[in-house]
Amino acid sequence: MGPAISRSIMMFFACLLLAAGAASAQPALPSQSRGVLILDAGWRFTRGDPPNAQAPDLDDKDWTKTTLPHSFDAAEEGDGNYYRGPAWYRREVMVAAPRPGRRLFLQFDGAATIADIWLNGKRVGRHEGGHAAFRFDITDALVPGRNLLAVRVDNGATRRVAPLGGDFTIFGGLYRPVSLIETDDLHFDMMDFGGPGIYARADRIEAGSAAISLTARISNASNTRRRVRVSSRVLDAEGREVAVLSGSVNVPAKGTEPLVLRGTIAAPRLWDGVRDPYLYRVVARIGPAGDEVTVPLGIRTFRIDPADGFILNGKPYPLRGANLQLNARPGIGTAVSRAQVAEDLAILREMGSTGVRFAHFQHPQAAYDEADRLGLGVWTEVGVVAEIEDTPEFRANAAQQLRELIAQTYNHPSVMVWGLGNEVYADDPRVARVLTELQQVAKQADPSRPTAYAHCCQADDHPKAMVSDVIGFNRYFGWYKDQNGQTLGGWASGFHAAHGTRAFAISEYGAGASIVHQADPPGPVEPASGWHPEQYQTDYHERNWLEIADKPYIFASFVWVAFDFASAGRHEGDRRGINDKGLVTYDRRTRKDAYYWYQANWSAEPMVHITSRRLDLRRQPEAEVKAYTNGDSATLLLNGVEVGTLAPRDRIAKWKVKLREGANRIEVRANGRSDSVEWRYEPAPAMIASDR
């Protein structure tokens, strides 16, 4: 727990804890005025839509006891007919009467995909969209003592809420934390699309200083116009104060007013991606001891050039990495912990990634925090995927999701690109109209960052691909068979030659792989089949990366996908319901050979990895040993005997060997590292002739 909070909040928390059981109270921010209680335990859950489920006197003793976060269909992730529909969550909340001048807000970090909220049988509100945080002011709905909170969550198909389609399972539930937040009547805008109500940035960076601006949205819930003074301290990574910004504003009763503060940081240290991901903090406070909010600040400049690619702080910085489709795990779906989110980003950074695409919707705040800390440049986007509806309801929902994404992640220096959508298949002007509206929303909310659209299935210069500031292309040459014989590198060269003034990225490329399917060489593979040998994915990525590695005008390239993920409609590879294009398995336990191919090319950490290690039963004595390394030389030992040393070519070292019958130990040494596998050679059983 952080610094001491006021006695009234302590009393407030104490009353809550009487009902919360295992729920824990902890202030989210170092504040004398704001308190946060995580409502994780004490919930009861049922799938379906029982009548009067919102009623305080409903007997829910037969409902399932559960703790948040919770995905209600995670056990069915491999089933193409997994449950999509309504479910209910209920719990009691005990509160004391809040003292005058205080407000209470209910915050949901994520509820998939439509949430209806009731308190004491009265409807509080609805939120449509499964991936952003949202809040309700429940001050006037609470009563002293026992309160019954009921939440109906529905992940059923709807034509009004994005995404309408997509190659992924739509998990349902209260899959991110729920919390109760207490603030003063005067507070940083809690209703600003789920964001902190603070927008901090470096406006101008010179050799000896950085000009800082902060826009604070101040809300006044009282009945009196108030004169408000706001101070903002900028702290370096060691907690030292390096700048103070302050100003005053008049805020009308029941109104919200923005205030812009400006200041300067002397001798700033830049947030420089993986080279030096240095972070400042901005601590903003209302009055001497009022509401307080802390947001990250990274001081950096970047631009995307059609010829030179991505430029960070004046130096080339190609964004290389993978798509993170969703933070989900077997058996729990999207109800992952902060530690599991951090593990995902750490695995990508260990591969040598400099960037990551958060596809195809807003990811948890922990993902952006980790990207900031690790120095990964982020492309993040909203769930306009596969299909659109050109209706006022859908357009309003897509715009709302984009405003939420920007408000909630604006302060993260890792965020570089706002994604407007992905692979909308329709080939008509409606798509461009919807994307144009989103382009306008993004530019109004944040003109400092470029927008992108991930284009797939029509001509490269289709009108819908030209709406955003830069273009991403999802291109699978060498995997799907409808690519007209093109190669990734040849296509990229052709697009650049024809459209040299348009900056573009490869937002997706990849191939499937099962770690239980092994064949060397892999032979022909049909993507929709049940045969996805790991070696085919390995060969695919070797070929495609070498074709694009030397093209600086490709400002970003993202492998599809970082981790195998749940996609209920698929039935290919070694099991149902999984898209197996990941560089790492769904459970995060196994890094496929292609992962190490990119590590050899992208990481500066010494490494060596022997491929085809899972093809451990050999039927022929002749074999090829192939290893990836970023070292200048590699040495092979077979059964303890040195075979030879060679200089890897394109980070690949290969040797021809002859195995002895039985177990064989293969070891490769390079760059001060060693990797070893055991292959067993057993001749195939002889066929016995029959005279029948």
Side-chain angles (χ1 to χ4, degrees):
M1 184 173 290
I5 54 181
S6 68
R7 183 180 177 187
S8 67
I9 300 178
M10 289 294 287
M11 293 175 63
F12 162 70
F13 282 157
C15 292
L16 285 168
L17 285 169
L18 292 176
S24 59
Q26 55 183 29
L29 302 166
S31 172
Q32 297 295 321
S33 177
R34 181 177 289 201
V36 176
L37 179 71
I38 305 299
L39 303 178
D40 54 358
W43 292 88
R44 289 186 178 271
F45 161 80
T46 190
R47 209 160 74 169
D49 211 2
N52 298 315
Q54 79 280 6
D57 58 356
L58 177 78
D59 185 357
D60 58 14
K61 68 177 183 299
D62 293 331
W63 291 21
T64 303
K65 294 180 179 180
T66 193
T67 299
L68 305 185
H70 177 253
S71 291
F72 61 65
D73 47 8
E76 302 165 348
E77 60 195 10
D79 185 350
N81 297 312
Y82 71 101
Y83 180 75
R84 295 192 66 180
W88 283 83
Y89 297 82
R90 288 165 51 102
R91 64 158 288 164
E92 290 185 357
V93 179
M94 295 288 290
V95 298
R99 62 191 172 103
R102 305 291 286 175
R103 308 300 297 178
L104 294 174
F105 296 87
L106 192 61
Q107 173 168 315
F108 295 80
D109 288 359
T113 53
I114 297 175
D116 293 283
I117 319 300
W118 280 266
L119 193 63
N120 300 321
K122 297 179 181 179
R123 187 185 182 89
V124 171
R126 162 178 279 209
H127 182 266
E128 297 184 340
H131 303 99
F134 56 95
R135 304 183 183 115
F136 297 105
D137 186 336
I138 59 171
T139 309
D140 298 331
L142 284 166
V143 297
R146 175 183 179 271
N147 291 261
L148 192 286
L149 174 61
V151 183
R152 182 184 188 271
V153 182
D154 190 344
N155 71 334
T158 173
R159 301 303 296 178
R160 60 183 289 133
V161 179
L164 301 184
D167 182 10
F168 44 83
T169 296
I170 306 292
F171 291 103
L174 294 180
Y175 70 100
R176 293 179 188 160
V178 176
S179 53
L180 194 59
I181 303 173
E182 186 185 40
T183 74
D184 289 332
D185 277 349
L186 278 171
H187 54 266
F188 295 106
D189 188 4
M190 292 288 289
M191 305 308 293
D192 183 28
F193 294 102
I198 297 288
Y199 299 82
R201 58 167 290 156
D203 291 318
R204 188 180 66 258
I205 303 172
E206 298 174 345
S209 67
I212 305 300
S213 70
L214 182 145
T215 299
R217 292 177 52 84
I218 314 301
S219 290
N220 177 14
S222 74
N223 295 317
T224 306
R225 184 179 181 87
R226 305 281 292 274
R227 179 73 175 174
V228 177
R229 183 164 183 81
V230 178
S231 62
S232 179
R233 302 163 59 229
V234 182
L235 308 179
D236 67 13
E238 289 72 41
R240 296 177 298 229
E241 185 179 282
V242 296
V244 176
L245 296 66
S246 62
S248 299
V249 65
N250 290 311
V251 187
K254 305 296 184 183
T256 300
E257 196 70 26
L259 171 65
V260 179
L261 307 178
R262 301 188 187 279
T264 302
I265 296 177
R269 183 169 168 181
L270 301 183
W271 188 91
D272 201 27
V274 299
R275 299 180 295 222
D276 185 13
Y278 191 84
L279 286 170
Y280 293 86
R281 287 179 296 142
V282 177
V283 184
R285 174 174 285 177
I286 297 174
D291 194 31
E292 185 176 287
V293 169
T294 300
V295 297
L297 173 67
I299 300 174
R300 85 289 190 263
T301 64
F302 73 90
R303 61 186 177 88
I304 300 176
D305 186 270
D308 299 325
F310 195 88
I311 307 297
L312 179 64
N313 299 323
K315 294 176 286 186
Y317 188 83
L319 297 173
R320 297 168 176 169
N323 286 268
L324 185 54
Q325 203 280 331
L326 68 151
N327 298 103
R329 302 286 177 112
I332 61 172
T334 47
V336 295
S337 68
R338 186 179 183 92
Q340 288 171 319
V341 174
E343 181 186 23
D344 285 353
L345 274 295
I347 290 171
L348 287 177
R349 179 67 197 102
E350 187 178 337
M351 187 172 68
S353 301
T354 60
V356 58
R357 179 178 174 225
F358 289 156
H360 294 299
F361 26 68
Q362 185 171 331
H363 283 231
Q365 279 297 313
Y368 301 92
D369 292 340
E370 289 302 306
D372 288 347
R373 187 181 66 84
L374 296 172
L376 297 172
V378 171
W379 167 329
T380 186
E381 64 193 29
V382 292
V384 178
V385 181
E387 302 175 53
I388 59 104
E389 286 285 352
D390 190 14
T391 62
E393 295 81 8
F394 178 83
R395 295 200 308 270
N397 181 258
Q400 167 204 307
Q401 291 194 35
L402 183 54
R403 291 187 180 99
E404 290 171 333
L405 174 67
I406 294 174
Q408 293 173 33
T409 65
Y410 178 97
N411 295 296
H412 292 283
S414 57
V415 173
M416 304 295 178
V417 175
W418 302 122
L420 306 181
N422 176 84
E423 285 192 14
V424 179
Y425 302 130
D427 185 13
D428 61 64
R430 298 177 305 136
V431 181
R433 284 201 300 271
V434 170
L435 294 175
T436 298
E437 287 187 12
L438 293 176
Q439 171 78 357
Q440 293 166 351
V441 169
K443 288 306 174 185
Q444 186 275 329
D446 179 20
S448 70
R449 289 178 172 98
T451 60
Y453 169 71
H455 182 49
C456 168
C457 305
Q458 290 84 32
D460 291 345
D461 58 354
H462 192 279
K464 67 184 176 185
M466 299 295 161
V467 170
S468 55
D469 298 328
V470 298
I471 314 172
F473 290 100
N474 299 347
R475 293 289 180 253
Y476 288 87
F477 306 115
W479 180 244
Y480 296 118
K481 304 305 181 184
D482 57 350
Q483 305 291 315
N484 300 319
Q486 295 188 75
T487 65
L488 191 62
W491 162 82
S493 297
F495 181 84
H496 180 62
H499 305 280
T501 61
R502 291 288 289 174
F504 75 99
I506 299 173
S507 40
E508 294 181 20
Y509 69 108
S514 163
I515 61 171
V516 300
H517 293 170
Q518 299 291 322
D520 193 6
V525 174
E526 189 63 38
S529 75
W531 177 242
H532 283 184
E534 184 178 3
Q535 288 78 7
Y536 189 94
Q537 183 194 55
T538 304
D539 293 349
Y540 171 96
H541 282 293
E542 286 180 12
R543 181 174 65 255
N544 281 283
W545 172 248
L546 291 175
E547 288 186 3
I548 64 175
D550 62 348
K551 294 175 171 54
Y553 50 81
I554 302 174
F555 79 82
S557 57
F558 299 112
V559 173
W560 187 265
V561 60
F563 307 99
D564 293 348
F565 63 92
S567 181
R570 284 186 175 256
H571 188 191
E572 58 191 45
D574 62 35
R575 56 200 154 141
R576 288 187 63 95
I578 295 293
N579 186 319
D580 65 0
K581 295 187 184 70
L583 299 175
V584 182
T585 55
Y586 187 27
D587 59 11
R588 276 60 168 177
R589 293 179 181 174
T590 305
R591 303 177 188 196
K592 303 176 189 178
D593 286 343
Y595 174 95
Y596 294 97
W597 162 244
Y598 286 107
Q599 188 179 60
N601 282 275
W602 295 348
S603 177
E605 291 296 316
M607 62 80 63
V608 61
H609 172 80
I610 300 170
T611 68
S612 288
R613 61 202 309 110
R614 282 167 282 278
L615 183 56
D616 52 5
L617 177 61
R618 304 282 174 140
R619 293 303 191 184
Q620 299 295 328
E622 295 79 16
E624 179 181 77
V625 176
K626 181 171 71 173
Y628 299 139
T629 181
N630 51 15
D632 294 330
S633 65
T635 300
L636 171 66
L637 290 85
L638 174 61
N639 298 317
V641 178
E642 184 172 322
V643 174
T645 298
L646 53 78
R649 181 178 179 182
D650 294 327
R651 311 294 172 124
I652 302 171
K654 295 180 180 180
W655 298 265
K656 297 291 187 182
V657 298
K658 187 170 184 177
L659 305 177
R660 69 189 182 193
E661 194 164 340
N664 292 263
R665 186 175 189 274
I666 314 293
E667 181 183 3
V668 177
R669 298 172 182 173
N671 224 356
R673 299 288 189 270
S674 174
D675 188 31
S676 62
V677 299
E678 183 177 289
W679 291 345
R680 187 171 188 84
Y681 165 50
E682 294 181 3
M687 298 296 293
I688 300 176
S690 172
D691 58 2
R692 292 186 182 182

